[in-house]
Amino acid sequence: MMHQLLFILIALPAFSLQQCLTPDDTKVTTDPNARLALYKGEQQFALSLLQTINGLMPAENIFFSPFSVYNAMLLAYFSASNHTEAALKKALFIPEAQDKLSTMQAYRLEKYFQKMRAYNGSASYELSSANRLFVSPQQSVRECMKLLFDDEITVTDFAKDPAAATKQINKWVADQTKNQIKDLLHEGQLTSVTQLVLANAAYFKGLWKSKFQPESTRKEVFYISGSQNAFVTMMRQKSTFNHLVSEKLGAHILELPYKGDDVSMYILLPPFASPNGITNILKRLTLDKFQEVASEGYMVPRAVDVSVPKFTIEKELEMTPILESLGVGDVFKPTSDLSGLTGKPGLSLDECVHKAKIMVDEDGTTAAAATAVFNFRSSRPLDPARFICNHPFVYVIFDKVSQTILFTGIFNKPPTQQAAKP
């Protein structure tokens, strides 16, 4: 695990001078708060997205990468101008006073750090993310944007062969996610009039710092609701974990770290008998409260009996209506302005799709994506030393190095349900 980071300034090169991102790009800024603002923006976006998706599908299993969605929308922001740029800036929680040049510098710096992490590697985890703008050759991309996004832009002839373009993008996603995400785009989604596809692919594979022993895994009852049960394969162990009973959030919280301690899964478990436990947690889970939970020393290390389901979930989300409800809808309208990319009007996006997959077992977690005073039936009411995930819970995979919510989800029921016997 990489613990030391070299701080450098990734300045915008001379080719971006004049008016590529701002009215005057000659003023190279060194705003120390720009990168912090990007972290906070992504975290706030992630929490808002989770609350919105839960509201739309409260009984379903949810899993997605807010990091992936945020990065795809950042590409749209850098490509946008005027009203579309303003709408995206607000939806992505970028400070009003921060100009696009500062945000771009923060983006490039973060991209560099992630490259270095991937290059140095780790025996404990794999973590990678990549962005792409697949642009039709019919679009004349501004020279300064070509140079700024030299690694991200790929010319793709949708008009000549939409099926081949679909295969090209799907192959890129599959390659970036170690074949965990296949067929992100379906046949017919891209057509001969498609001009632009923005994509992000994120991948993570981590080993638990304290592994669950397979011989302790067994079938147990999972309480989906007050009237519905199902069997789940439950992993069990007793070890020392950071743990907290939070009255502010109405949840028991447990941190399950991956080897190296750079990345952790946080599980937020509501009261057993609360029919709206998940919704209540998400309403209370503000940015400040999440940052408290993820901060060093906030939770208390102690011996905890832990039971967590072993599961695999693959989820595909039509993100367009979800993003519209968050204020990003302007980019999908014919009146959208993406002239920052081409220098002229007429370019817009049709839709946003997202696909994510997570596998949690005794060894650890593999996750990939493209674009939490209590009464537990299974434990003593006042005994916080038992953390039994036998009813719906929220989970977050958080990268402490980049302060990024990589993946998040809600486990509402075993993916393959089998009715439990009374």
Side-chain angles (χ1 to χ4, degrees):
M1 190 68 64
M2 181 176 64
H3 291 288
Q4 295 181 337
L5 294 176
L6 172 65
F7 181 82
I8 64 171
L9 172 65
I10 307 297
L12 293 177
F15 56 71
S16 70
L17 303 182
Q18 308 304 326
Q19 297 178 331
C20 193
L21 296 173
T22 65
D24 182 12
D25 287 356
T26 59
K27 187 178 70 174
V28 178
T29 64
T30 56
D31 184 358
N33 296 317
R35 194 161 172 240
L36 177 61
L38 207 58
Y39 295 158
K40 293 180 66 175
E42 190 276 337
Q43 291 175 20
Q44 182 64 73
F45 182 81
L47 299 176
S48 299
L49 203 55
L50 180 59
Q51 187 173 22
T52 299
I53 295 174
N54 177 66
L56 294 172
M57 45 191 75
E60 296 184 33
N61 286 328
I62 296 169
F63 182 69
F64 67 98
S65 171
F67 174 73
S68 178
V69 179
Y70 192 83
N71 270 271
M73 289 298 99
L74 266 180
L75 292 182
Y77 170 68
F78 291 133
S79 302
S81 296
N82 302 312
H83 61 283
T84 302
E85 177 183 330
L88 284 165
K89 184 175 186 177
K90 183 178 180 181
L92 295 174
F93 298 96
I94 298 171
E96 180 62 31
Q98 183 170 302
D99 62 27
K100 192 183 283 188
L101 188 65
S102 297
T103 303
M104 169 60 83
Q105 288 180 332
Y107 168 81
R108 288 169 63 87
L109 183 59
E110 185 58 30
K111 180 180 170 183
Y112 172 81
F113 280 135
Q114 295 301 341
K115 270 189 175 181
M116 291 301 97
R117 289 179 74 182
Y119 177 78
N120 290 329
S122 168
S124 304
Y125 69 88
E126 295 178 63
L127 174 62
S128 64
S129 172
N131 298 327
R132 281 293 182 277
L133 296 97
F134 297 92
V135 186
S136 167
Q138 297 175 7
Q139 294 294 324
S140 179
V141 179
R142 299 166 69 195
E143 287 300 319
C144 64
M145 293 297 283
K146 284 181 182 179
L147 291 167
L148 280 174
F149 292 103
D150 180 54
D151 292 340
E152 288 97 338
I153 291 178
T154 299
V155 176
T156 306
D157 199 337
F158 304 101
K160 182 178 180 181
D161 192 343
T166 300
K167 289 181 180 178
Q168 176 188 353
I169 295 173
N170 284 344
K171 183 181 184 304
W172 178 81
V173 170
D175 289 344
Q176 296 297 321
T177 61
K178 308 293 180 71
N179 287 316
Q180 292 299 317
I181 302 298
K182 300 177 181 178
D183 301 323
L184 173 65
L185 297 175
H186 303 301
E187 184 178 351
Q189 280 188 294
L190 303 183
T191 69
S192 58
V193 298
T194 299
Q195 298 294 302
L196 173 68
V197 173
L198 307 182
N200 169 275
Y203 176 82
F204 170 73
K205 183 176 182 179
L207 301 174
W208 298 123
K209 184 177 182 180
S210 177
K211 290 186 179 183
F212 293 83
Q213 297 304 312
E215 57 268 23
S216 298
T217 300
R218 60 178 179 263
K219 291 284 185 181
E220 294 187 12
V221 175
F222 186 89
Y223 300 92
I224 300 171
S225 66
S227 60
Q228 189 179 9
N229 304 331
F231 284 118
V232 70
T233 302
M234 192 74 81
M235 307 182 299
R236 308 176 69 95
Q237 68 164 295
K238 182 175 181 178
S239 189
T240 299
F241 297 103
N242 285 335
H243 178 270
L244 177 71
V245 178
S246 173
E247 294 185 14
K248 292 180 181 179
L249 293 175
H252 276 189
I253 307 173
L254 185 77
E255 178 185 357
L256 291 175
Y258 297 97
K259 288 184 69 175
D261 291 315
D262 282 358
V263 183
S264 288
M265 176 184 285
Y266 292 89
I267 301 178
L268 290 79
L269 188 67
F272 179 86
S274 175
N276 299 312
I278 297 295
T279 299
N280 291 337
I281 287 176
L282 296 183
K283 284 182 178 178
R284 300 175 182 181
L285 191 58
T286 63
L287 176 60
D288 289 342
K289 288 177 182 175
F290 173 77
Q291 290 179 334
E292 275 187 358
V293 169
S295 64
E296 194 73 28
Y298 184 71
M299 291 197 286
V300 179
R302 60 169 301 162
V304 187
D305 281 316
V306 177
S307 294
V308 178
K310 176 179 179 179
F311 64 92
T312 296
I313 293 175
E314 188 165 2
K315 190 75 175 180
E316 184 170 346
L317 294 171
E318 171 49 60
M319 294 298 301
T320 308
I322 298 170
L323 291 170
E324 285 176 343
S325 69
L326 291 176
V328 189
D330 187 83
V331 75
F332 302 109
K333 296 177 181 178
T335 55
S336 69
D337 188 344
L338 296 178
S339 60
L341 181 65
T342 61
K344 58 184 179 181
L347 185 62
S348 64
L349 294 169
D350 294 326
E351 60 180 319
C352 178
V353 295
H354 181 76
K355 196 172 184 179
K357 182 178 180 179
I358 185 170
M359 295 180 290
V360 175
D361 60 20
E362 291 86 354
D363 291 330
T365 301
T366 300
T371 49
V373 184
F374 303 108
N375 180 22
F376 299 100
R377 183 178 299 182
S378 56
S379 66
R380 296 190 301 278
L382 299 178
D383 183 4
R386 300 190 71 196
F387 195 89
I388 315 300
C389 296
N390 63 357
H391 57 282
F393 58 89
V394 180
Y395 57 101
V396 175
I397 299 178
F398 184 68
D399 179 5
K400 297 179 180 180
V401 176
S402 68
Q403 295 291 296
T404 298
I405 298 177
L406 299 172
F407 301 90
T408 186
I410 298 171
F411 189 94
N412 273 309
K413 56 191 175 184
T416 302
Q417 290 188 33
Q418 180 181 353
K421 295 179 181 180

